[in-house]
Amino acid sequence: NYVANARFGQEVSEALRQVGVMDGKIVRMENILRHMKVSLVNAPRADTSLFARLDAFGVNLSQLNTKLRGDQIRGRLNENSVPSIYGRLRNVSSGALKTREAPTGTHRMDFKLGKFMLNEAQTTLENLLSEINAIEVELEKAGAPSWR
């Protein structure tokens, strides 16, 4: 059924677009985090707990990036790893959308799992955005110089 196949293709394309948007937000947060760490060192009223909070934020951001894009280190070493969200959706895109045939059960299952993982990752990203805003307030209170 052409209409159903086209609809499936649109859903996959939209999910891949969302991955790209998330990736851009993660990169921006990584850059801000680097600047915040430098700024925190120069904050006259900085508490040690803020250093730990920034480190924990960095770990959580890195874990999200790994879920989204995959383990880059294992990939370079040609080691098996858990499929990333992008990897699952890309596999569906390259396998199911380059033919006029209906997507296979595997394609549909990979998309369903990738979409579920994407929704979880979006929730995590929203929490991280809230956390970085809260950290920003704490940096200002600690007298940190501008990091932007």
Side-chain angles (χ1 to χ4, degrees):
N1 183 345
Y2 177 77
V3 173
N5 293 350
R7 189 174 308 119
F8 183 75
Q10 288 173 335
E11 290 175 13
V12 172
S13 295
E14 174 58 20
L16 283 168
R17 186 195 68 77
Q18 290 173 8
V19 167
V21 168
M22 285 183 66
D23 186 55
K25 289 180 180 180
I26 289 171
V27 168
R28 283 192 299 277
M29 280 196 289
E30 287 170 339
N31 288 331
I32 290 170
L33 179 61
R34 270 193 300 279
H35 293 285
M36 283 180 156
K37 285 181 177 182
V38 170
S39 184
L40 181 58
V41 170
N42 296 304
R45 296 180 300 278
D47 186 53
T48 56
S49 65
L50 196 49
F51 286 94
R53 192 170 172 189
L54 273 177
D55 287 341
F57 179 85
V59 168
N60 291 335
L61 189 61
S62 178
Q63 288 172 345
L64 177 61
N65 192 40
T66 299
K67 287 179 185 177
L68 191 66
R69 290 286 180 181
D71 189 332
Q72 303 298 317
I73 295 169
R74 291 180 74 90
R76 274 184 248 140
L77 297 173
N78 223 11
E79 293 284 330
N80 289 334
S81 63
V82 176
S84 67
I85 297 166
Y86 174 73
R88 284 186 185 282
L89 295 173
R90 189 191 69 231
N91 286 342
V92 172
S93 174
S94 64
L97 304 183
K98 294 186 179 179
T99 178
R100 284 185 259 157
E101 298 296 320
T104 65
T106 302
H107 291 135
R108 291 188 184 283
M109 183 61 80
D110 247 3
F111 177 69
K112 185 176 182 180
L113 184 54
K115 188 69 174 152
F116 176 78
M117 292 168 64
L118 179 61
N119 289 337
E120 282 187 333
Q122 286 172 327
T123 300
T124 301
L125 181 64
E126 289 169 13
N127 292 338
L128 287 172
L129 286 167
S130 294
E131 175 68 8
I132 203 166
N133 289 332
I135 291 171
E136 188 171 22
V137 169
E138 293 301 315
L139 279 171
E140 288 175 5
K141 286 180 184 177
S146 178
W147 53 89
R148 296 216 183 238

mmCIF file of all heavy atoms in Angstrom, residues 1 8 11 15 19-20 29 36 40 43-44 69-70 73 78-79 81 83 96 105 111 114 120 122 126 128 135 147:
data_model
loop_
_atom_site.group_PDB
_atom_site.id
_atom_site.type_symbol
_atom_site.label_atom_id
_atom_site.label_comp_id
_atom_site.label_asym_id
_atom_site.label_seq_id
_atom_site.Cartn_x
_atom_site.Cartn_y
_atom_site.Cartn_z
ATOM 1 N N ASN A 1 0.839 -1.161 0.000
ATOM 2 C CA ASN A 1 0.000 0.000 0.000
ATOM 3 C C ASN A 1 0.897 1.241 0.000
ATOM 4 O O ASN A 1 1.614 1.523 0.968
ATOM 5 C CB ASN A 1 -0.898 -0.048 1.223
ATOM 6 C CG ASN A 1 -1.878 1.095 1.305
ATOM 7 O OD1 ASN A 1 -1.759 2.105 0.620
ATOM 8 N ND2 ASN A 1 -2.862 0.926 2.159
ATOM 9 N N PHE A 8 4.741 5.846 6.647
ATOM 10 C CA PHE A 8 5.824 5.275 7.453
ATOM 11 C C PHE A 8 7.130 6.022 7.180
ATOM 12 O O PHE A 8 7.867 6.370 8.104
ATOM 13 C CB PHE A 8 5.978 3.781 7.138
ATOM 14 C CG PHE A 8 7.029 3.089 7.967
ATOM 15 C CD1 PHE A 8 6.793 2.781 9.290
ATOM 16 C CD2 PHE A 8 8.252 2.750 7.406
ATOM 17 C CE1 PHE A 8 7.763 2.143 10.058
ATOM 18 C CE2 PHE A 8 9.226 2.116 8.160
ATOM 19 C CZ PHE A 8 8.972 1.806 9.488
ATOM 20 N N GLU A 11 7.171 9.331 8.946
ATOM 21 C CA GLU A 11 7.396 9.174 10.386
ATOM 22 C C GLU A 11 8.876 8.932 10.682
ATOM 23 O O GLU A 11 9.424 9.506 11.622
ATOM 24 C CB GLU A 11 6.556 8.021 10.937
ATOM 25 C CG GLU A 11 5.070 8.300 10.963
ATOM 26 C CD GLU A 11 4.254 7.090 11.394
ATOM 27 O OE1 GLU A 11 4.843 6.106 11.904
ATOM 28 O OE2 GLU A 11 3.028 7.119 11.222
ATOM 29 N N ALA A 15 11.415 11.443 12.729
ATOM 30 C CA ALA A 15 12.190 10.978 13.880
ATOM 31 C C ALA A 15 13.680 11.289 13.680
ATOM 32 O O ALA A 15 14.356 11.735 14.614
ATOM 33 C CB ALA A 15 11.979 9.485 14.101
ATOM 34 N N VAL A 19 16.213 13.707 15.926
ATOM 35 C CA VAL A 19 17.544 13.316 16.400
ATOM 36 C C VAL A 19 18.550 14.425 16.083
ATOM 37 O O VAL A 19 19.373 14.793 16.918
ATOM 38 C CB VAL A 19 17.992 11.972 15.777
ATOM 39 C CG1 VAL A 19 19.476 11.721 16.021
ATOM 40 C CG2 VAL A 19 17.164 10.822 16.335
ATOM 41 N N GLY A 20 18.472 14.977 14.884
ATOM 42 C CA GLY A 20 19.372 16.062 14.500
ATOM 43 C C GLY A 20 19.202 17.294 15.370
ATOM 44 O O GLY A 20 20.185 17.938 15.764
ATOM 45 N N MET A 29 25.009 22.516 24.586
ATOM 46 C CA MET A 29 25.159 22.346 26.034
ATOM 47 C C MET A 29 26.580 21.931 26.389
ATOM 48 O O MET A 29 27.112 22.357 27.427
ATOM 49 C CB MET A 29 24.144 21.344 26.578
ATOM 50 C CG MET A 29 22.778 21.956 26.773
ATOM 51 S SD MET A 29 21.694 20.965 27.827
ATOM 52 C CE MET A 29 21.334 19.596 26.773
ATOM 53 N N MET A 36 31.276 27.066 31.455
ATOM 54 C CA MET A 36 30.841 27.149 32.852
ATOM 55 C C MET A 36 31.927 26.630 33.788
ATOM 56 O O MET A 36 32.143 27.191 34.868
ATOM 57 C CB MET A 36 29.553 26.354 33.065
ATOM 58 C CG MET A 36 28.311 27.026 32.563
ATOM 59 S SD MET A 36 26.880 25.962 32.880
ATOM 60 C CE MET A 36 25.575 27.179 32.907
ATOM 61 N N LEU A 40 33.522 28.760 36.694
ATOM 62 C CA LEU A 40 33.376 28.330 38.081
ATOM 63 C C LEU A 40 34.703 28.411 38.830
ATOM 64 O O LEU A 40 34.738 28.789 40.009
ATOM 65 C CB LEU A 40 32.814 26.909 38.145
ATOM 66 C CG LEU A 40 32.580 26.325 39.533
ATOM 67 C CD1 LEU A 40 31.627 27.208 40.329
ATOM 68 C CD2 LEU A 40 32.030 24.918 39.419
ATOM 69 N N ALA A 43 35.095 31.794 40.200
ATOM 70 C CA ALA A 43 33.993 32.318 41.017
ATOM 71 C C ALA A 43 34.446 32.454 42.470
ATOM 72 O O ALA A 43 34.859 31.464 43.083
ATOM 73 C CB ALA A 43 32.786 31.393 40.927
ATOM 74 N N PRO A 44 34.384 33.645 43.029
ATOM 75 C CA PRO A 44 34.899 33.857 44.388
ATOM 76 C C PRO A 44 34.112 33.136 45.486
ATOM 77 O O PRO A 44 34.678 32.768 46.509
ATOM 78 C CB PRO A 44 34.825 35.377 44.571
ATOM 79 C CG PRO A 44 33.851 35.859 43.558
ATOM 80 C CD PRO A 44 33.879 34.872 42.430
ATOM 81 N N ARG A 69 23.748 8.882 19.699
ATOM 82 C CA ARG A 69 24.666 8.678 18.576
ATOM 83 C C ARG A 69 25.472 7.396 18.620
ATOM 84 O O ARG A 69 26.100 7.033 17.638
ATOM 85 C CB ARG A 69 25.645 9.853 18.491
ATOM 86 C CG ARG A 69 25.014 11.121 18.043
ATOM 87 C CD ARG A 69 24.726 11.043 16.585
ATOM 88 N NE ARG A 69 24.097 12.267 16.112
ATOM 89 C CZ ARG A 69 23.729 12.440 14.885
ATOM 90 N NH1 ARG A 69 23.912 11.517 13.992
ATOM 91 N NH2 ARG A 69 23.151 13.558 14.529
ATOM 92 N N GLY A 70 25.500 6.746 19.767
ATOM 93 C CA GLY A 70 26.275 5.514 19.882
ATOM 94 C C GLY A 70 27.611 5.755 20.559
ATOM 95 O O GLY A 70 28.044 6.889 20.730
ATOM 96 N N ILE A 73 33.825 5.511 20.741
ATOM 97 C CA ILE A 73 35.089 4.819 20.992
ATOM 98 C C ILE A 73 34.988 3.364 20.566
ATOM 99 O O ILE A 73 35.837 2.852 19.845
ATOM 100 C CB ILE A 73 35.497 4.939 22.477
ATOM 101 C CG1 ILE A 73 35.782 6.409 22.803
ATOM 102 C CG2 ILE A 73 36.697 4.067 22.795
ATOM 103 C CD1 ILE A 73 35.934 6.702 24.262
ATOM 104 N N ASN A 78 35.843 -0.929 16.241
ATOM 105 C CA ASN A 78 35.081 -1.987 15.575
ATOM 106 C C ASN A 78 34.541 -3.015 16.572
ATOM 107 O O ASN A 78 34.473 -4.199 16.277
ATOM 108 C CB ASN A 78 35.933 -2.659 14.499
ATOM 109 C CG ASN A 78 35.144 -2.882 13.240
ATOM 110 O OD1 ASN A 78 34.036 -2.375 13.087
ATOM 111 N ND2 ASN A 78 35.707 -3.644 12.327
ATOM 112 N N GLU A 79 34.180 -2.545 17.758
ATOM 113 C CA GLU A 79 33.608 -3.390 18.803
ATOM 114 C C GLU A 79 32.092 -3.276 18.773
ATOM 115 O O GLU A 79 31.548 -2.218 18.475
ATOM 116 C CB GLU A 79 34.114 -2.953 20.183
ATOM 117 C CG GLU A 79 35.577 -3.174 20.404
ATOM 118 C CD GLU A 79 35.918 -4.623 20.675
ATOM 119 O OE1 GLU A 79 35.068 -5.337 21.247
ATOM 120 O OE2 GLU A 79 37.019 -5.033 20.307
ATOM 121 N N SER A 81 28.422 -2.762 20.183
ATOM 122 C CA SER A 81 27.845 -1.958 21.257
ATOM 123 C C SER A 81 26.331 -1.931 21.077
ATOM 124 O O SER A 81 25.812 -2.378 20.062
ATOM 125 C CB SER A 81 28.422 -0.536 21.265
ATOM 126 O OG SER A 81 28.094 0.126 20.081
ATOM 127 N N PRO A 83 22.901 -0.686 20.025
ATOM 128 C CA PRO A 83 22.522 0.219 18.933
ATOM 129 C C PRO A 83 22.000 1.553 19.465
ATOM 130 O O PRO A 83 21.252 1.600 20.429
ATOM 131 C CB PRO A 83 21.402 -0.535 18.208
ATOM 132 C CG PRO A 83 21.567 -1.960 18.598
ATOM 133 C CD PRO A 83 22.162 -1.943 19.979
ATOM 134 N N ALA A 96 14.205 0.453 4.622
ATOM 135 C CA ALA A 96 12.783 0.426 4.279
ATOM 136 C C ALA A 96 12.371 1.529 3.318
ATOM 137 O O ALA A 96 11.392 1.381 2.593
ATOM 138 C CB ALA A 96 11.941 0.530 5.553
ATOM 139 N N GLY A 105 8.754 -6.548 9.111
ATOM 140 C CA GLY A 105 8.475 -6.556 10.544
ATOM 141 C C GLY A 105 9.666 -6.043 11.349
ATOM 142 O O GLY A 105 9.505 -5.355 12.354
ATOM 143 N N PHE A 111 11.862 0.643 14.222
ATOM 144 C CA PHE A 111 11.327 2.002 14.294
ATOM 145 C C PHE A 111 10.589 2.217 15.608
ATOM 146 O O PHE A 111 10.765 3.242 16.267
ATOM 147 C CB PHE A 111 10.395 2.292 13.111
ATOM 148 C CG PHE A 111 9.768 3.650 13.199
ATOM 149 C CD1 PHE A 111 10.533 4.798 13.044
ATOM 150 C CD2 PHE A 111 8.418 3.794 13.470
ATOM 151 C CE1 PHE A 111 9.964 6.059 13.154
ATOM 152 C CE2 PHE A 111 7.840 5.048 13.579
ATOM 153 C CZ PHE A 111 8.622 6.186 13.413
ATOM 154 N N GLY A 114 13.205 2.477 18.293
ATOM 155 C CA GLY A 114 13.932 3.733 18.131
ATOM 156 C C GLY A 114 13.094 4.920 18.557
ATOM 157 O O GLY A 114 13.578 5.851 19.213
ATOM 158 N N GLU A 120 12.175 8.829 25.250
ATOM 159 C CA GLU A 120 12.860 8.832 26.547
ATOM 160 C C GLU A 120 14.020 9.828 26.540
ATOM 161 O O GLU A 120 14.221 10.567 27.503
ATOM 162 C CB GLU A 120 13.408 7.434 26.869
ATOM 163 C CG GLU A 120 12.381 6.466 27.351
ATOM 164 C CD GLU A 120 13.016 5.158 27.804
ATOM 165 O OE1 GLU A 120 14.105 4.788 27.311
ATOM 166 O OE2 GLU A 120 12.416 4.509 28.660
ATOM 167 N N GLN A 122 14.320 12.496 24.714
ATOM 168 C CA GLN A 122 13.807 13.866 24.709
ATOM 169 C C GLN A 122 13.433 14.319 26.116
ATOM 170 O O GLN A 122 13.685 15.459 26.498
ATOM 171 C CB GLN A 122 12.618 13.985 23.749
ATOM 172 C CG GLN A 122 13.048 13.965 22.303
ATOM 173 C CD GLN A 122 11.892 13.893 21.329
ATOM 174 O OE1 GLN A 122 10.866 13.283 21.598
ATOM 175 N NE2 GLN A 122 12.077 14.512 20.170
ATOM 176 N N GLU A 126 15.163 17.426 28.128
ATOM 177 C CA GLU A 126 14.406 18.494 28.784
ATOM 178 C C GLU A 126 14.848 18.661 30.238
ATOM 179 O O GLU A 126 15.004 19.783 30.726
ATOM 180 C CB GLU A 126 12.908 18.198 28.711
ATOM 181 C CG GLU A 126 12.327 18.341 27.318
ATOM 182 C CD GLU A 126 10.913 17.787 27.194
ATOM 183 O OE1 GLU A 126 10.280 17.517 28.238
ATOM 184 O OE2 GLU A 126 10.458 17.617 26.054
ATOM 185 N N LEU A 128 17.807 17.893 31.413
ATOM 186 C CA LEU A 128 19.150 18.466 31.391
ATOM 187 C C LEU A 128 19.111 19.962 31.099
ATOM 188 O O LEU A 128 19.891 20.735 31.670
ATOM 189 C CB LEU A 128 20.025 17.745 30.366
ATOM 190 C CG LEU A 128 20.482 16.333 30.752
ATOM 191 C CD1 LEU A 128 21.179 15.653 29.594
ATOM 192 C CD2 LEU A 128 21.380 16.366 31.974
ATOM 193 N N ILE A 135 21.868 25.458 37.194
ATOM 194 C CA ILE A 135 23.295 25.625 37.457
ATOM 195 C C ILE A 135 23.725 27.050 37.121
ATOM 196 O O ILE A 135 24.534 27.661 37.825
ATOM 197 C CB ILE A 135 24.124 24.586 36.673
ATOM 198 C CG1 ILE A 135 23.890 23.181 37.237
ATOM 199 C CG2 ILE A 135 25.609 24.934 36.707
ATOM 200 C CD1 ILE A 135 24.496 22.060 36.403
ATOM 201 N N TRP A 147 30.119 33.384 31.177
ATOM 202 C CA TRP A 147 30.576 32.191 30.439
ATOM 203 C C TRP A 147 29.975 32.144 29.048
ATOM 204 O O TRP A 147 30.155 31.199 28.324
ATOM 205 C CB TRP A 147 30.218 30.917 31.185
ATOM 206 C CG TRP A 147 28.774 30.853 31.534
ATOM 207 C CD1 TRP A 147 27.759 30.350 30.794
ATOM 208 C CD2 TRP A 147 28.182 31.370 32.712
ATOM 209 N NE1 TRP A 147 26.561 30.521 31.432
ATOM 210 C CE2 TRP A 147 26.801 31.149 32.626
ATOM 211 C CE3 TRP A 147 28.670 32.014 33.837
ATOM 212 C CZ2 TRP A 147 25.913 31.546 33.611
ATOM 213 C CZ3 TRP A 147 27.788 32.394 34.814
ATOM 214 C CH2 TRP A 147 26.426 32.158 34.692
#
